Amino acid sequence: MSRPWQSIGLLLVLLGAALTFEIYDEREKTLLNEQQRLISLANALKANIGEQLRASSRMLDGLRHDLPDLLARPDGVARLNNKMALLTESVIGIRSLLLINADGTAIASNRAELIGQNFKDSERYQVIKTGNDPTTLYISPPFKTPLGIFTTSFGKAIVGTDGRFDGYLLAILDPAYFGVLMQSLLYAHDMRLSVAHGDGKVIFSTQATPEILGFDLSKKPDSLFNQHLRSGRESSFMVDRATATNDLRLVAIQTILPIEGTANTPLVVAVSRESDAAIAEWKRSSQQQGILFIGIVLAVCAGYYVYSHRKQAYRLLHLEKTRVEEASEERIREVNEQFRGYFENMAVGAVQLDADGKFQLVNERYCEMTGYDRQELLNKMQPAQLTHPDDRANEQEHMRQLFAENGSSLDLEKRVVCKNGEVIWVHVSAHAVRGQEGKVKFTTAVIEDITLRKQLMAELEGARVAAEAANRAKTLFLGNMSHEMRTPLHQISGVAGMFRRDSLSDKQSHRLGMLETAVKRLDTVIGGILTLVDIEAGSTEVKLVPIDMDQLVIDVTSLLAERASAKNMTIHHEVSNLPSPLMGDARHLTTILSCYCNNAITFSERGVITIRVRKLNEDMGSIMVRLEVQDQGVGIDPNQIGRLFEHFEQADNSHTRKYGGTGVGLAIVKKLTKLMGGDAGCESILGSGSTFWATIKLAKGDPKSEAQSSVAEDFQI
C-alpha cells in the first residue's frame, strides 16, 4: 500500500475515534441534561405540593381557632357551613371541608350530602384519634369519597381543654389539583408524574394504563419507592425498571412535607421518562453521524482515487471551486445586505453584543427608545448601564445563566432608564451564539417597549379588584339588612294576629287588614332579596326529582287563579307532549312560572294570560324545554328590555310606584335558568303585551321510577 493511502487510512481512523468519543460524550450530556430536567420538575412539584400542605394546615388551624365562637351561636353550624364553602372556593386544591365530632359523625361541611355521615370506621378517623396531636397535619392514604372521587385528605385533631380527643377537621383534596399541576409540567409523551402516600399507595398519576390509582408501590421490596425510602434522602435519582409497568426509566423522586409544621407521613412524588425515549434524539443523531462518516470515508477514497488518476479533472475541479467560492461570497454579501435592511427596519429594538457584553450593533428603533445615538452605545456601553438600579441584580443573574456552559436564550422584563431620565418597561428576548469551543461569540437580542401594556394591566387589575370588593360588600349588606328587617316584621305580624282575637269594629278590622297586607307584601319582597343573595352566594342547589309538567302548570294556575279573577282575567295553559319521566327541580320551575304569571297579572288590566310549555331539542340523556308566559298588558319599550333581568331593575322604574315590586324577581329567574343550563328573556310590543320565556335543561329519568309532585309557591316580587 502506498504512503498516501496509509496517511488517508490513519486520518480516517483518527476521525472515527474522535467521532465515537463525541457521540459517547453527547450521550452522557443528554442523560445528564435529562436528569437535571427531571430533578428540576420534581423540585417544582415538591415546592408546589409542600406549599399546598402548608396552606391547608394553616387553613385548618384558622378554622379550628374560630370553631368555639361559631358553634356558640344559635346558627353556628350554618355559619360554619358557609365559611367552609367560602374557604373551598378561595383555597386552591381543596374540594371539601368537614367537621367530624368525637363519635365520627360529620356535623358541618360545605357539601350538604356529607353532613350526618359517620366516618368512625375509616382509617383516617382511627389515625387522627390515636395521634390526637393538634400540631400535626394528618395525611390520609388515598381513598374513594362517598361521592365516588379517588383522592386523599388532610386532617387536624381537635383536642379539649383536658387533652381529650374531641373530633377533627378534614380537608379533602380535589384530584384535579394534581391533574392540572402535573399536566402543565409534561414536555414529552413518554413522561409520567405520580404522587404517592408515604405508605406507598398512589394518589394520582398521569399514567393512564394500567390502572394505577391506589396501586401499592411498597409491596415490591426492591421497588423504586422502597429504594428511595431506605436511602433516607429527601431526593433521589435512579435508572431502574418501573414497579407497575416494568419498563426501564429515568426517575427523579422527592419526599414532600409541609413547608411549615409537621405531618404524620410524607407524600412522595416521582417524575420519570423512558430511558430509550430520553436518548432517542441522540440515537438518531448518532446514526446520522455514522452514515455521514461512512459517506466521508467513501468520498475521501473516491476523491483520492479520482485525484490520482485524473489530474486534469482536478484542475477543472479547482476552477469550479474558485467559481463557487466567488458565488458564495457574492451570496454572503447579498444576505448581509438583506439582514442589514431587515435589522434597521424592525418595529422593535434590536441589538448585538460582543463576548464582553458591549453593544456591537444597534438599530434605529433601539436608539429612539433609549434616546442614545449609535456613537454613544457602540463598543462603549453595556445594557446593564441603562437598566434601572432595582432590576440590575435580576438581569445579571439572567445574563450569568445565558453565558453559562448550557445557556442559550434569555427572556425577561425590566425597566430601562432613558437618556432623558424617563423610565420605560421593556421585554427582552436574547440568544447566545457560541463557537465550536462552546464559548459565547456574540449575543443577539430583541427589545420591545411594553410600558403602555404594563400601565393598562395595572389599571385593569385595580378596576377588577375594586369591582369584586364592591359586589361582595353589596351582597353582604343586602343579606344582613334583609335578615334584620324580618325580625320586626314577624313581631308586627304576631301583634296583628293578637288584635284579631279581640272584637273589632269594621273600621278597625279594615285598617288591620291593610296592615297585614302591607306586612305580607314586605315579607315577600325581603324573601326575594334573600333568595337572590343565596343564589349569588352559591348556596342554591338544583335537586333532581321526577316532574309531572302538566300537574306543575295546573298547580301554578290554581294558585294564581283567584288573583287573576279579581281583575277579570283568565289563565290558560298549553303543555306539549314531553318524554316521561323528566327529572328536574320543581321548586325552581314553580318559582319561574309564578314570577312570570304574577308580573303578567300586575302589569295587565284585562285579557288572557297564556302559559306554554314546549320542547326545543332532545338528546340521549336530556331535553331542553321552553316555558312561556304571554299577556295582553301594557308591554315594554324595546330599549328597556335589556335592563329587565338585572338586579332591582324594571322596564320603567316609575312602575315601582304605580305597580309595586322591587325588580329582583326577574333577576332571580335569570340566575335560576342559568343554574339549570338555560337562559331567560322577553319579547314585547309596547301597548300590546309581552311574552316572557325561559329555557330549562331537564334530565330524562328511569321510566320505572315513581313520579313526585312539586308544590308551587304563590308570591310576587
Side-chain angles (χ1 to χ4, degrees):
M1 182 180 291
S2 64
R3 185 175 296 275
W5 279 108
Q6 292 177 351
S7 300
I8 291 173
L10 178 61
L11 179 62
L12 292 176
V13 169
L14 293 176
L15 180 61
L19 181 61
T20 301
F21 175 78
E22 182 179 354
I23 291 174
Y24 175 79
D25 184 60
E26 191 64 31
R27 179 182 183 277
E28 294 302 307
K29 288 181 179 179
T30 299
L31 290 175
L32 180 60
N33 289 341
E34 194 61 37
Q35 174 181 342
Q36 292 173 345
R37 195 171 186 180
L38 293 175
I39 291 174
S40 176
L41 291 182
N43 288 335
L45 276 175
K46 177 180 179 180
N48 246 294
I49 299 176
E51 175 60 24
Q52 176 67 29
L53 294 177
R54 181 193 71 81
S56 299
S57 178
R58 294 185 64 180
M59 176 192 67
L60 292 173
D61 286 338
L63 193 57
R64 182 175 57 192
H65 179 268
D66 295 340
L67 281 179
D69 291 340
L70 284 172
L71 297 180
R73 302 184 180 186
D75 59 345
V77 173
R79 287 175 176 266
L80 181 56
N81 291 337
N82 288 336
K83 184 166 186 176
M84 287 180 170
L86 292 174
L87 286 174
T88 54
E89 292 177 1
S90 59
V91 178
I92 298 175
I94 300 301
R95 181 182 180 87
S96 305
L97 282 171
L98 299 91
L99 172 60
I100 314 296
N101 65 15
D103 295 329
T105 301
I107 62 175
S109 174
N110 65 302
R111 295 186 176 274
E113 60 268 29
L114 298 179
I115 298 176
Q117 294 198 33
N118 190 279
F119 301 94
K120 192 170 186 179
D121 295 332
S122 66
E123 182 178 351
R124 55 188 177 277
Y125 172 86
Q126 300 297 334
V127 170
I128 298 176
K129 181 178 180 181
T130 302
N132 199 29
D133 182 0
T135 64
T136 297
L137 181 68
Y138 292 92
I139 304 174
S140 77
F143 62 93
K144 271 197 174 180
T145 69
L147 303 178
I149 303 301
F150 192 86
T151 185
T152 187
S153 64
F154 308 142
K156 282 276 187 167
I158 301 174
V159 180
T161 55
D162 56 355
R164 179 176 53 84
F165 175 71
D166 202 16
Y168 61 94
L169 284 165
L170 191 70
I172 299 177
L173 202 63
D174 188 346
Y177 163 75
F178 288 123
V180 173
L181 177 61
M182 292 183 177
Q183 291 295 339
S184 67
L185 298 179
L186 293 177
Y187 61 85
H189 68 88
D190 60 289
M191 287 187 65
R192 295 181 194 155
L193 286 79
S194 304
V195 179
H197 189 263
D199 65 0
K201 292 186 180 67
V202 177
I203 300 172
F204 182 86
S205 176
T206 58
Q207 176 180 328
T209 57
E211 177 59 42
I212 197 171
L213 297 183
F215 187 88
D216 194 345
L217 301 173
S218 65
K219 288 184 177 180
K220 187 177 179 182
D222 60 343
S223 68
L224 298 174
F225 177 83
N226 286 330
Q227 291 182 48
H228 170 71
L229 291 185
R230 285 197 298 268
S231 71
R233 298 191 299 268
E234 289 187 6
S235 61
S236 302
F237 185 85
M238 290 173 274
V239 182
D240 206 339
R241 296 198 174 275
T243 305
T245 58
N246 202 37
D247 54 334
L248 188 64
R249 303 188 72 81
L250 312 175
V251 187
I253 305 178
Q254 282 281 4
T255 299
I256 303 176
L257 287 167
I259 295 177
E260 297 176 358
T262 60
N264 67 319
T265 186
L267 294 176
V268 179
V269 297
V271 182
S272 68
R273 284 199 68 186
E274 287 184 5
S275 177
D276 288 342
I279 60 174
E281 185 62 31
W282 171 83
K283 285 183 177 179
R284 286 192 294 271
S285 176
S286 300
Q287 291 171 354
Q288 293 172 355
Q289 291 181 35
I291 294 172
L292 179 62
F293 177 72
I294 293 173
I296 291 174
V297 170
L298 295 175
V300 169
C301 293
Y304 182 74
Y305 178 81
V306 172
Y307 169 78
S308 61
H309 290 81
R310 298 184 65 184
K311 291 184 179 180
Q312 183 63 27
Y314 170 77
R315 285 194 294 271
L316 296 175
L317 182 63
H318 178 71
L319 293 175
E320 180 66 16
K321 178 183 176 182
T322 302
R323 187 187 66 79
V324 170
E325 287 178 349
E326 291 175 352
S328 298
E329 291 176 357
E330 179 63 26
R331 179 58 182 163
I332 290 173
R333 285 193 293 271
E334 291 177 0
V335 170
N336 285 337
E337 291 176 0
Q338 292 174 358
F339 168 76
R340 179 68 65 179
Y342 170 76
F343 182 80
E344 288 297 337
N345 292 291
M346 291 179 66
V348 294
V351 302
Q352 180 175 304
L353 310 179
D354 60 20
D356 296 327
K358 292 183 179 179
F359 291 105
Q360 275 187 325
L361 294 173
V362 296
N363 70 351
E364 186 62 30
R365 175 57 184 150
Y366 186 77
C367 294
E368 293 175 359
M369 289 166 54
T370 61
Y372 291 91
D373 56 36
R374 284 188 172 88
Q375 289 69 27
E376 295 175 296
L377 297 172
L378 296 181
N379 302 316
K380 297 177 182 178
M381 298 182 68
Q382 296 179 333
Q385 295 175 254
L386 279 67
T387 302
H388 191 280
D390 294 344
D391 295 342
R392 284 176 185 167
N394 181 52
E395 181 184 32
Q396 289 173 357
E397 175 61 22
H398 279 77
M399 291 296 294
R400 185 191 66 77
Q401 296 176 7
L402 179 65
F403 277 79
E405 181 179 354
N406 297 321
S408 61
S409 61
L410 173 150
D411 191 85
L412 64 84
E413 293 181 357
K414 67 171 186 175
R415 287 167 289 180
V416 169
V417 181
C418 300
K419 185 177 181 180
N420 61 3
E422 180 186 359
V423 177
I424 63 173
W425 276 96
V426 298
H427 177 268
V428 181
S429 296
H431 179 76
V433 178
R434 300 179 182 273
Q436 293 181 352
E437 69 282 2
K439 293 184 179 180
V440 175
K441 296 176 62 178
F442 61 89
T443 306
T444 61
V446 175
I447 301 94
E448 179 184 4
D449 188 343
I450 59 171
T451 305
L452 181 59
R453 186 196 309 168
K454 283 282 188 179
Q455 293 172 350
L456 291 176
M457 289 175 63
E459 293 172 0
L460 288 174
E461 179 62 18
R464 183 189 65 80
V465 171
E468 290 179 352
N471 189 55
R472 287 194 298 269
K474 176 209 70 176
T475 301
L476 180 61
F477 172 77
L478 288 176
N480 290 339
M481 286 300 297
S482 299
H483 278 293
E484 292 297 328
M485 291 171 67
R486 264 196 165 164
T487 300
L489 275 179
H490 291 167
Q491 292 175 348
I492 295 171
S493 180
V495 172
M498 295 173 62
F499 276 122
R500 282 290 183 192
R501 300 173 188 172
D502 300 330
S503 58
L504 303 172
S505 65
D506 292 341
K507 186 175 183 180
Q508 290 172 331
S509 179
H510 175 70
R511 290 177 176 176
L512 187 58
M514 293 173 62
L515 174 64
E516 291 173 333
T517 300
V519 170
K520 182 178 180 181
R521 179 179 178 81
L522 186 54
D523 187 57
T524 300
V525 170
I526 293 173
I529 295 175
L530 288 177
T531 300
L532 186 61
V533 171
D534 287 341
I535 294 174
E536 291 191 343
S539 58
T540 300
E541 299 178 345
V542 176
K543 296 182 179 179
L544 297 181
V545 297
I547 294 177
D548 184 342
M549 189 61 72
D550 290 297
Q551 187 59 46
L552 186 145
V553 173
I554 291 172
D555 290 343
V556 172
T557 303
S558 299
L559 289 172
L560 299 171
E562 182 178 351
R563 185 163 176 250
S565 178
K567 299 182 71 173
N568 294 320
M569 301 172 65
T570 57
I571 302 178
H572 291 170
H573 60 271
E574 303 170 4
V575 180
S576 62
N577 291 329
L578 301 174
S580 180
L582 292 176
M583 306 292 290
D585 197 314
R587 301 168 305 155
H588 295 338
L589 295 177
T590 301
T591 298
I592 293 169
L593 285 176
S594 299
C595 178
Y596 279 174
C597 289
N598 270 310
N599 283 350
I601 295 172
T602 299
F603 293 99
S604 300
E605 300 298 334
R606 57 177 175 76
V608 177
I609 296 173
T610 304
I611 302 175
R612 297 188 186 92
V613 181
R614 59 186 177 89
K615 178 180 73 175
L616 286 182
N617 53 65
E618 180 178 1
D619 55 30
M620 291 295 293
S622 64
I623 179 174
M624 184 67 77
V625 174
R626 178 179 171 105
L627 311 177
E628 294 182 357
V629 175
Q630 182 179 10
D631 63 54
Q632 298 174 339
V634 296
I636 303 168
D637 185 342
N639 296 326
Q640 304 295 331
I641 291 179
R643 299 189 299 110
L644 281 178
F645 292 88
E646 298 178 7
H647 301 173
F648 309 106
E649 291 287 355
Q650 293 186 343
D652 181 352
N653 285 326
S654 64
H655 288 182
T656 304
R657 296 186 293 273
K658 182 176 180 181
Y659 296 103
T662 62
V664 300
L666 295 181
I668 293 173
V669 168
K670 185 80 167 181
K671 291 184 178 296
L672 287 178
T673 56
K674 292 288 187 182
L675 199 62
M676 293 187 286
D679 202 353
C682 173
E683 301 164 0
S684 181
I685 300 175
L686 190 63
S688 299
S690 306
T691 299
F692 283 82
W693 57 266
T695 56
I696 306 294
K697 179 173 283 191
L698 301 176
K700 294 181 180 179
D702 184 355
K704 298 179 181 179
S705 64
E706 297 181 359
Q708 300 178 5
S709 62
S710 301
V711 178
E713 299 179 6
D714 181 16
F715 62 87
Q716 179 186 355
I717 298 175

